[in-house]
Amino acid sequence: MKSIPTTFQAPSRWLTHLLIVLLATLATSPTWAATPVTVRIAFIGPADGDAHAGAQQGIKEANAQGKFLGLAYQLVASADIGAARAAKASAVVVDADAAALPAIAAAAPELPVLNVRAEDDALRTQCVGNLFHTIPSQAMRSDALAQWHKKQPGSQATAQAWHASAELYAGSQLNKRYSDASGRAMNDQAWAAWAAVKLVSDTVARLHASEPVGLLGALRKDLAFDGQKGVDMSFRDNGQLRQPLLLVENGKIVGEAPVRGIAPNSDLDSLGNTACAK
Amino acid sequence: MRILVLALLLGVTLDSLAASGRVFVTNEKGDSVSVIDTKTNQVVKTIAIGKRPRGIGLAPDGSAIYVAVSGENHIAVLDPATLEVKGSFPSGDDPEAFAVHKNGNIYISNENDAKASVIDPHTGKLVTEIEVGIEPEGVAISPDGTRAIVTSESTNMLHIIAIPEHTVVNSILVGARPRSATFSADGKLAYATSEIGGEVK
């Protein structure tokens, strides 16, 4: 397996389109083992929720990649963190309220725990080492709206992680795949759970390893995730996934935050908190 | 952006024939193909082609121009001499980009199906389908005709397909959203653009 390619932040989306990947060889790269290696991702939360449907979509897409790499992903419904551990999960996706999350993360400090529901800012500023958040925080949403109102005073928009009418960056294809499979429209929690599974599987594929501690380190330091919102996404030190938010008014996407011309350099860290509480 | 890329790619193809001096551009939102005279840089004809035309390519002998009509799941065949549509054949679901092998066969990415299809344009028949990753897009064929590359945008891979076996012999992870792919003239290197990843490997 070749080393992970270095990625960098390019100055604009259209310029990145033009940048080139050079593959030194076509014939000699090894293909992984013929017998698939099973990678388990635990899911704690309601089995009939949007997050569960999003996680299942993530698993389906992970396997679409994994079949070429000798990796088979499974979503393991787990009653609690003990069950997730017993199932030898590589990571845990949690659809639960904020109150439940610190104890779940503390019970398995070696396991990446990915929060796909709770938006509480306090969960971020606690900076728990193995707790990640793919759902945007409340502060991210309010900062996005504040930026938008500077440009569009009086707008009644809401700031969302995702919307079922998203088209750009193959958003329409993701929406179609998800609604065909689940019969649902992709909402924020479905997107957050899809993203949680997909960024774990992307990292497993690039590491060619699913052992939790290595995965945890790579998620913290080396993530460059394509969440189909047009930019590479990575985790802040406080565990929050950096991401653009969509501004939605009357059921239509009217803008995106960071708001161009308002947020300096469209910096993703202009949304929400980046610091840890002392 | 897409239109510009297609224009450039096809322009190169036609110029290499040193014959027609024309550039053919698919208009994805206009449901048409524009024909531009390279001497005058004027549009000489706009051909109604069907819903959402995307990829475009030339038969090896220059006798036909193929257009992937994504919204109608077929490949339209244009006569480069008369500039008329002279036929079409089914392509599988949602054809996007394709490449024409020197033996005449067409290799198509089917975006919504996670497949590549191989079609013989002379019979209009499907030769085979090959499973690839999610949202396949770019297709390239090596100059010696023994390898095809199909990019999968949402799986972040280049799939290397052996010809004529039509098996995936390797799948290479690259940066996010690989789209277009091409081989160097000697076939030793291949290049692919990464829309989001922006990387050099």
Side-chain angles (χ1 to χ4, degrees):
Chain A
M1 189 61 195
K2 286 181 183 147
S3 61
I4 297 166
T6 308
T7 59
F8 58 91
Q9 208 67 41
S12 89
R13 286 171 192 149
W14 296 118
L15 278 178
T16 57
H17 194 158
L18 299 173
L19 291 171
I20 285 174
V21 180
L22 169 61
L23 296 167
T25 66
L26 293 178
T28 58
S29 309
T31 307
W32 290 352
T35 312
V37 173
T38 301
V39 180
R40 294 172 191 86
I41 299 176
F43 184 90
I44 298 174
D48 58 354
D50 292 316
H52 188 260
Q56 281 183 315
Q57 183 62 30
I59 290 286
K60 194 184 265 189
E61 298 184 16
N63 280 321
Q65 182 188 64
K67 74 181 174 193
F68 296 108
L69 299 173
L71 295 166
Y73 297 89
Q74 286 178 1
L75 193 66
V76 182
S78 304
D80 53 32
I81 188 69
R85 240 179 176 171
K88 297 195 179 349
S90 297
V92 189
V93 174
V94 184
D95 176 15
D97 293 333
L101 281 157
I104 292 172
E110 80 288 1
L111 267 180
V113 174
L114 297 117
N115 160 34
V116 300
R117 171 188 289 269
E119 302 178 10
D120 305 53
D121 293 310
L123 273 181
R124 279 76 177 168
T125 51
Q126 284 166 15
C127 296
V128 177
N130 63 324
L131 184 54
F132 299 89
H133 316 274
T134 56
I135 194 88
S137 66
Q138 288 159 350
M140 288 170 71
R141 293 180 197 263
S142 56
D143 286 347
L145 287 176
Q147 289 179 11
W148 184 243
H149 287 152
K150 281 186 188 166
K151 198 169 182 173
Q152 301 285 342
S155 164
Q156 298 293 308
T158 57
Q160 298 181 197
W162 190 253
H163 193 262
S165 72
E167 281 190 6
L168 292 177
Y169 317 112
S172 51
Q173 281 87 350
L174 174 57
N175 275 319
K176 183 177 190 316
R177 290 197 298 273
Y178 177 72
S179 64
D180 284 355
S182 69
R184 299 168 188 236
M186 187 169 251
N187 63 8
D188 281 20
Q189 286 167 15
W191 179 87
W194 167 85
V197 170
K198 200 102 189 270
L199 64 84
V200 165
S201 69
D202 272 9
T203 305
V204 167
R206 289 183 195 278
L207 293 175
H208 193 207
S210 58
E211 172 270 323
V213 174
L215 187 56
L216 185 56
L219 290 175
R220 284 225 160 273
K221 292 194 182 72
D222 298 326
L223 190 67
F225 172 61
D226 170 30
Q228 305 213 188
K229 295 204 269 187
V231 294
D232 272 345
M233 299 182 189
S234 57
F235 284 111
R236 292 177 184 153
D237 289 345
N238 68 9
Q240 173 67 52
L241 187 69
R242 294 183 176 92
Q243 59 186 290
L245 297 184
L246 305 175
L247 295 152
V248 179
E249 193 167 2
N250 297 324
K252 286 191 179 146
I253 298 169
V254 293
E256 185 186 308
V259 177
R260 197 172 295 179
I262 303 290
N265 305 317
S266 294
D267 181 6
L268 290 175
D269 283 343
S270 67
L271 306 178
N273 302 314
T274 58
C276 301
K278 296 272 163 69
Chain B
M1 195 62 177
R2 178 182 303 283
I3 288 168
L4 178 65
V5 168
L6 290 174
L8 288 170
L9 286 176
L10 195 68
V12 170
T13 309
L14 290 181
D15 284 348
S16 70
L17 284 180
S20 74
R22 286 173 174 153
V23 173
F24 293 74
V25 181
T26 55
N27 301 309
E28 187 173 343
K29 301 273 186 188
D31 301 340
S32 62
V33 172
S34 298
V35 186
I36 298 165
D37 186 321
T38 56
K39 294 182 200 79
T40 62
N41 289 332
Q42 298 293 312
V43 174
V44 293
K45 187 165 183 186
T46 302
I47 305 164
I49 199 89
K51 285 182 197 156
R52 207 177 177 211
R54 301 178 80 180
I56 188 165
L58 189 66
D61 63 1
S63 63
I65 291 169
Y66 304 118
V67 179
V69 186
S70 298
E72 299 183 10
N73 302 330
H74 68 233
I75 303 285
V77 184
L78 280 178
D79 185 327
T82 64
L83 304 183
E84 302 287 341
V85 178
K86 60 179 183 181
S88 71
F89 47 84
S91 60
D93 187 44
D94 196 11
E96 183 160 354
F98 62 85
V100 186
H101 193 280
K102 61 185 177 184
N103 68 12
N105 284 348
I106 297 177
Y107 288 70
I108 306 174
S109 58
N110 296 114
E111 187 174 44
N112 285 340
D113 261 2
K115 279 179 188 160
S117 305
V118 184
I119 293 171
D120 178 347
H122 301 296
T123 62
K125 294 239 168 76
L126 183 70
V127 176
T128 192
E129 288 181 328
I130 304 150
E131 282 191 27
V132 293
I134 298 171
E135 278 178 60
E137 174 146 336
V139 185
I141 296 173
S142 63
D144 68 1
T146 64
R147 290 285 186 273
I149 293 179
V150 175
T151 70
S152 51
E153 270 191 78
S154 277
T155 304
N156 301 333
M157 281 181 162
L158 307 191
H159 304 282
I160 315 299
I161 295 164
I163 301 173
E165 297 82 359
H166 293 141
T167 52
V168 176
V169 292
N170 205 349
S171 294
I172 302 168
L173 274 174
V174 295
R177 304 210 79 74
R179 300 194 69 168
S180 182
T182 190
F183 278 90
S184 61
D186 64 3
K188 287 182 180 164
L189 297 174
Y191 306 88
T193 59
S194 260
E195 182 175 31
I196 304 297
E199 67 176 22
V200 179
K201 183 168 175 179

